[in-house]
Amino acid sequence: MEHGDEHHRSTPLSHEKLAMWAFLGSECLLFGGLISTYMLYKNKLPEGTAISPGELFDIPFTSVTTFVLLMSSLTMVLSVSSITRGDLRRNRVWLLTTALLGAVFIGGQVYEFTAFYNEGAGFTTNLWSSAFFTLTGFHGVHVSIGIVMLMSLFIGNLTGRITKASAEKVEIIGLYWHFVDIVWIVIFTIVYLFPQ
Amino acid sequence: MAIVEDTPRELTTGQPAVAERPLGVLTRPTSTEGWKSWLTTVDHKRIGILYGAAAIFFFVVGGIEALLIRLQLARPGATVLGADLYNQVFTMHGVTMIFLVAMPLGAAFANYLIPLQIGTRDVAFPRLNAFSFWCFLAGAIFINTSWFLGGAPDGGWFAYAPNTGVLFSPSNGMDFFAIGLQITGIASLLSAINLIVTVVNLRAPGMTWFRMPVFTWMMLVVQVLLLFAIPVITLALFLLMFDRLWGANFFNVEAGADPLLWEHLFWIFGHPEVYILILPAFGAVSEIIPVFSRKPIFGYKFMIFSGIAIGFMGWGVWAHHMFASGIGPISVAAFSVSTMFIAVPTGVKILNWMATMWGGRLRFTTPMLFAVGLVSMFTIGGLSGVTHSVAPADTQQTDTYYIVAHFHYVVFGGVILGLFGGMYFWWPKVFGYALDDRAGKWNFWLMLIGFNVTFGPMHLLGLQGMSRRIQTYSSGQGFDLWNMVATIGSFMIALSVLVFVGNILQSYRTRNRRPPVGPDPWDGRSLEWATASPTPVHNFDYVPVVESLDDFWHRKWGEDEDGNIVRLATAEQIAQTGERRDVHLPSPSYWPLVVAIGLPIIGYGLIFNYWLCMVGGAIVLGGVYAWIMEPTDDPDAAHGPDGHDDHHDGDGDGNGATTDESEAEELEAPVG
């Protein structure tokens, strides 16, 4: 038999990037299921419930944290662009900024959860509250994992493990980060903006 | 990590390098022999064997559970198992056979064969592949420890909530179910991503989409189904877990929850799952039948597209499991029609297998017998399946033994027969010796007859109205005879499995006394037969170049002017010998195992004591970071500047790196 090239690869994409795309496809169904469950239960408040989602939500506050999260996508793009150019210093700055913006979003979520809980809507209170905390909580966990990965990249950059050659790693984690942001746009619209 | 290796090393063995270096935390293990090397292996072939061994072990466990069920039901009013224990046993029988036998057995074949059939050295992410296996095993053991920790799951493998809520299932069993299946789900999801990337990106030169063997195609469809089905069941299991552990309300009907939510989520996963189970067997049979008919598969592209069609339509039929649940006439009608439609691509496959055999030079070896067994038995199961798609009939059949008969005809008659055939077929390739054909035929006939004696009468029992999942029945309802017959049949199946195990032992003992199998014992068609048996650790000496479908066969056989088949070469002449010793292979790793051990500890923690979660979480987190930080390969291999150190598992084995330096690495590497 003839001998093929040892380093043959069937598509121009790297394994890692393909894997991340496949994983994100899978995540679509996870969030799809969560959002469907929320939609099923969002109007099922028991008779005489004292608290309604419409009264709990502080739309201006959540809009601000949403804006912060969306801006983190911009800084993520900037960090990918800087590492592609080999600008490690700027890459550090933008990675840290992205992680911080994500942390601000999480902080806002923690504040919001606490406020809701204090107003009497805990995880176990009713159908709506279980579905709400589960959906937004799952998203919050995804953002937090993203922050951990961004900080790992940041530390990798400081210790010299992340260089221009590893630009694709930053890009792949960026894919994850943008995906999580897009999911939040859907969640924000459906949970907060749709009339209750 | 610019470790420069100055002294050139001798290139002597095909094994990963044995680096003389003290084992630090982040060095990679080096042994490739002995039992310890199985714990750290990242070789797709060894991982495939591990999957297969685990699946056969759990097949015996699930089989014993089945025998207990049959003993209890053999006679009216029997007291072998109490009602509570019966619930646990039938639940664990289903959970074991589906999640711990059929799925890993499919994964065993996928892992072993996909890289060989597409002509590559390993999967895209070898360490992730090892993790998938250990993660599966950790989840499987976790679920089974529930037997000793307060009782096994008792709500059926479908786990209908709210019936599986704390109120109706107060033991920890369903918690073990929910958490354990999440752990095995992680394994399936990562394995699916890994194998999809492998097939998309690592096909040998010339191996275009429509030159891939049908088996690889079917496995690709399975991985895509897993990719999209696993998150749905994961979500459902999370909701159930939140309800049970922390008092959420998702299935709390008192608070207004919709009792159909679980059913929908479960079956949106559950119906693709059915195809996840059967398509590997379809793939195996599609390899076996052409070889023993000495004809190419009939309608190759039809086979591929019908497999893809099954994969798509599998998402649109889930509610046929819910005809009796009150989903409304429109839904029932729609799902009824879509269910009838999905029989079409399956029928295409059945007809294509028969057309492949038609006019072929048939050799009824053991694998061929199992393959023909699948075609005939699955057809019976498929036909009874079509009777379920007729909703009015289905409302009569729901929850009777007719359903039990149907799904055993497709799952046992399909998955088990097909994959047993696959085991007989590929055994020489995997282990270098063949299983005995005479014992194999005993195995087949005992299994086939036992299977029909067991599950055939269940059609009658079901139509007579015997309810499934009941622990016992009273005499005088006409159930006595056929239940006794079914029990006798189940022991025949058990006997056939004993013959199988005995065959393995006997064939292993006499392996040196029989003629060597050579690279190609069956006159095979696909690339796995184009290398030595057992497969050398590096798979292929040289990456093959593929020119047509069934490329290997066309190199052995051609046509003369009169259209007669003439031999061009023997398999021994053209198959690779596996003697090359300078192939750079990925090094083993401890961390997949470590991370996998952390997961069930988190699971126990969630059930018993949250402090354990901290321990498990620390193990997982530490393991993941150690995984990322450990050198790509053995520490002494010169790997140029950093940059492709963590994720690039496949770096050295000829697929990850694209830069020029990778060529240099290959030469410098001490691996031999």
Side-chain angles (χ1 to χ4, degrees):
Chain A
M1 281 193 187
E2 306 93 300
H3 304 160
D5 172 19
E6 290 275 330
H7 298 280
H8 176 79
R9 216 169 45 185
S10 319
T11 72
L13 289 170
S14 73
H15 298 333
E16 288 77 14
K17 201 183 273 184
L18 271 173
M20 182 51 90
W21 278 115
F23 174 70
L24 295 182
S26 177
E27 290 276 276
C28 284
L29 271 101
L30 181 76
F31 280 105
L34 277 164
I35 291 169
S36 308
T37 306
Y38 181 82
M39 297 282 275
L40 180 67
Y41 284 162
K42 73 179 211 146
N43 292 323
K44 281 203 179 175
L45 287 171
E47 294 290 315
T49 309
I51 23 152
S52 79
E55 291 163 25
L56 284 173
F57 289 152
D58 183 354
I59 306 281
F61 175 81
T62 316
S63 302
V64 170
T65 57
T66 303
F67 180 75
V68 168
L69 189 67
L70 293 187
M71 283 307 104
S72 77
S73 264
L74 175 65
T75 56
M76 187 73 230
V77 170
L78 290 171
S79 81
V80 174
S81 131
S82 54
I83 191 103
T84 319
R85 281 181 280 113
D87 187 345
L88 291 180
R89 202 182 59 83
R90 281 214 171 73
N91 177 247
R92 275 200 296 278
V93 171
W94 291 126
L95 282 173
L96 196 62
T97 313
T98 313
L100 280 176
L101 290 175
V104 168
F105 174 82
I106 293 294
Q109 201 169 38
V110 170
Y111 168 79
E112 193 181 42
F113 280 15
T114 322
F116 289 3
Y117 182 76
N118 289 336
E119 289 180 52
F123 184 57
T124 58
T125 306
N126 56 36
L127 277 178
W128 170 80
S129 69
S130 291
F132 170 81
F133 284 110
T134 303
L135 172 58
T136 51
F138 257 90
H139 180 266
V141 168
H142 276 77
V143 175
S144 305
I145 291 171
I147 294 172
V148 171
M149 294 199 291
L150 287 169
M151 289 312 290
S152 304
L153 286 178
F154 176 75
I155 293 166
N157 183 316
L158 281 178
T159 55
R161 288 178 67 88
I162 297 287
T163 60
K164 192 180 177 189
S166 36
E168 200 194 59
K169 255 176 228 155
V170 181
E171 192 192 339
I172 287 168
I173 290 177
L175 283 177
Y176 173 85
W177 190 260
H178 296 313
F179 172 80
V180 173
D181 277 9
I182 292 168
V183 169
W184 180 254
I185 296 177
V186 179
I187 293 177
F188 181 65
T189 312
I190 289 178
V191 174
Y192 292 85
L193 299 186
F194 274 19
Q196 299 300 321
Chain B
M1 278 192 328
I3 301 166
V4 180
E5 176 62 69
D6 291 321
T7 31
R9 298 265 203 101
E10 215 176 336
L11 306 177
T12 45
T13 69
Q15 315 294 331
V18 180
E20 287 170 24
R21 232 180 106 121
L23 288 179
V25 174
L26 295 181
T27 54
R28 296 186 76 146
T30 50
S31 64
T32 54
E33 276 161 38
W35 64 271
K36 274 191 211 155
S37 68
W38 287 84
L39 300 179
T40 56
T41 186
V42 295
D43 176 358
H44 73 98
K45 297 178 292 295
R46 283 185 154 202
I47 291 166
I49 293 170
L50 286 170
Y51 264 118
I56 290 178
F57 171 76
F58 285 113
F59 186 56
V60 173
V61 173
I64 292 170
E65 283 154 4
L67 293 179
L68 287 173
I69 295 173
R70 282 320 316 167
L71 279 177
Q72 166 64 21
L73 292 178
R75 300 165 61 81
T79 52
V80 179
L81 302 172
D84 181 39
L85 195 56
Y86 183 84
N87 283 350
Q88 296 176 32
V89 170
F90 91 72
T91 300
M92 281 306 286
H93 168 68
V95 171
T96 304
M97 287 303 192
I98 288 165
F99 293 103
L100 314 184
V101 177
M103 286 175 76
L105 203 54
F109 284 92
N111 264 294
Y112 200 97
L113 292 170
I114 287 178
L116 285 170
Q117 290 201 330
I118 61 173
T120 183
R121 296 212 197 283
D122 209 318
V123 292
F125 306 100
R127 284 185 296 175
L128 196 63
N129 200 22
F131 175 66
S132 289
F133 170 72
W134 294 115
C135 191
F136 150 73
L137 190 66
I141 293 172
F142 177 81
I143 296 177
N144 274 285
T145 52
S146 64
W147 286 112
F148 314 106
L149 296 170
D154 54 3
W157 85 279
F158 43 85
Y160 278 180
N163 187 42
T164 44
V166 179
L167 186 60
F168 302 107
S169 181
S171 82
N172 280 325
M174 292 317 294
D175 299 323
F176 277 96
F177 173 90
I179 298 167
L181 290 188
Q182 281 174 26
I183 298 175
T184 61
I186 295 172
S188 301
L189 179 65
L190 294 178
S191 173
I193 293 174
N194 202 345
L195 292 173
I196 289 171
V197 175
T198 304
V199 176
V200 170
N201 231 7
L202 281 176
R203 283 166 285 133
M207 179 61 84
T208 57
W209 289 105
F210 290 109
R211 288 178 192 166
M212 292 200 314
V214 179
F215 175 82
T216 296
W217 256 112
M218 292 306 107
M219 279 301 185
L220 179 63
V221 174
V222 168
Q223 307 314 318
V224 174
L225 286 173
L226 279 169
L227 185 71
F228 294 122
I230 292 293
V232 183
I233 185 72
T234 304
L235 165 67
L237 293 167
F238 263 116
L239 300 186
L240 180 63
M241 187 180 95
F242 291 166
D243 264 24
R244 289 184 57 93
L245 295 180
W246 300 316
N249 296 305
F250 292 105
F251 308 112
N252 181 0
V253 180
E254 226 176 313
D258 189 338
L260 289 189
L261 173 65
W262 174 273
E263 290 196 32
H264 278 296
L265 288 175
F266 184 82
W267 289 117
I268 288 174
F269 151 80
H271 204 82
E273 169 74 10
V274 173
Y275 298 107
I276 289 166
L277 299 178
I278 192 61
L279 287 178
F282 280 4
V285 165
S286 303
E287 299 298 309
I288 294 168
I289 288 180
V291 166
F292 295 110
S293 305
R294 214 157 176 263
K295 276 177 66 186
I297 186 94
F298 182 87
Y300 168 79
K301 282 198 179 174
F302 262 93
M303 289 303 263
I304 305 302
F305 282 114
S306 60
I308 296 172
I310 289 174
F312 271 105
M313 294 165 78
W315 292 93
V317 295
W318 79 86
H320 69 212
H321 297 271
M322 301 163 60
F323 280 160
S325 68
I327 52 173
I330 307 276
S331 305
V332 167
F335 281 100
S336 185
V337 170
S338 64
T339 305
M340 290 175 199
F341 262 121
I342 203 168
V344 174
T346 318
V348 166
K349 284 186 174 294
I350 302 278
L351 291 173
N352 279 6
W353 287 322
M354 294 198 291
T356 306
M357 285 186 274
W358 181 263
R361 194 181 297 169
L362 300 181
R363 280 183 291 162
F364 283 102
T365 57
T366 308
M368 182 64 165
L369 287 175
F370 275 103
V372 176
L374 177 144
V375 176
S376 46
M377 293 303 113
F378 188 87
T379 304
I380 299 176
L383 288 175
S384 63
V386 175
T387 68
H388 301 324
S389 74
V390 185
D394 185 71
T395 41
Q396 289 295 308
Q397 296 154 358
T398 293
D399 282 344
T400 70
Y401 262 85
Y402 191 84
I403 303 282
V404 180
H406 158 71
F407 68 67
H408 280 95
Y409 266 84
V410 287
V411 176
F412 195 110
V415 182
I416 296 300
L417 288 186
L419 293 183
F420 261 73
M423 282 196 270
Y424 276 94
F425 186 58
W426 279 295
W427 201 276
K429 179 51 66 186
V430 177
F431 297 105
Y433 63 91
L435 291 176
D436 184 62
D437 201 51
R438 234 171 83 91
K441 280 175 178 157
W442 273 98
N443 178 1
F444 170 74
W445 286 111
L446 270 171
M447 192 176 264
L448 186 80
I449 295 168
F451 159 71
N452 278 295
V453 171
T454 309
F455 300 109
M458 289 186 189
H459 289 111
L460 302 175
L461 285 171
L463 291 177
Q464 285 172 352
M466 181 167 165
S467 174
R468 62 190 279 213
R469 305 176 198 127
I470 51 162
Q471 172 239 358
T472 190
Y473 52 94
S474 48
S475 60
Q477 301 187 82
F479 300 158
D480 303 17
L481 171 68
W482 291 122
N483 269 304
M484 180 50 93
V485 170
T487 300
I488 293 167
S490 67
F491 279 87
M492 288 175 73
I493 298 176
L495 186 63
S496 78
V497 176
L498 282 179
V499 171
F500 175 68
V501 174
N503 191 358
I504 294 175
L505 297 176
Q506 183 65 15
S507 303
Y508 177 76
R509 279 201 326 182
T510 58
R511 69 193 184 285
N512 293 329
R513 269 178 266 155
R514 285 177 295 154
V517 288
D520 180 25
W522 312 112
D523 198 6
R525 313 179 74 87
S526 41
L527 276 179
E528 71 268 30
W529 308 109
T531 187
S533 305
T535 319
V537 66
H538 55 281
N539 291 0
F540 297 100
D541 291 342
Y542 300 97
V543 175
V545 175
V546 180
E547 283 166 3
S548 64
L549 176 65
D550 290 339
D551 187 71
F552 180 60
W553 202 81
H554 290 299
R555 288 169 198 270
K556 290 184 291 185
W557 301 94
E559 276 184 25
D560 63 14
E561 301 90 46
D562 306 326
N564 297 318
I565 304 285
V566 290
R567 189 179 266 290
L568 303 175
T570 63
E572 281 73 13
Q573 285 167 333
I574 56 169
Q576 302 189 3
T577 55
E579 280 160 3
R580 193 174 158 196
R581 288 292 175 266
D582 58 347
V583 180
H584 189 137
L585 293 168
S587 297
S589 172
Y590 303 108
W591 304 109
L593 178 60
V594 171
V595 178
I597 287 173
L599 290 173
I601 296 178
I602 297 178
Y604 290 120
L606 286 172
I607 297 175
F608 296 112
N609 186 333
Y610 291 138
W611 286 106
L612 275 176
C613 293
M614 304 282 281
V615 177
I619 293 175
V620 170
L621 203 64
V624 167
Y625 272 95
W627 177 326
I628 293 173
M629 309 284 274
E630 79 176 339
T632 293
D633 252 312
D634 64 275
D636 287 351
H639 253 263
D642 49 2
H644 47 267
D645 45 359
D646 24 339
H647 296 297
H648 277 266
D649 266 313
D651 213 67
D653 60 336
N655 51 49
T658 46
T659 49
D660 292 336
E661 85 213 3
S662 54
E663 292 294 333
E665 273 165 36
E666 184 109 338
L667 295 174
E668 280 177 67
V671 246

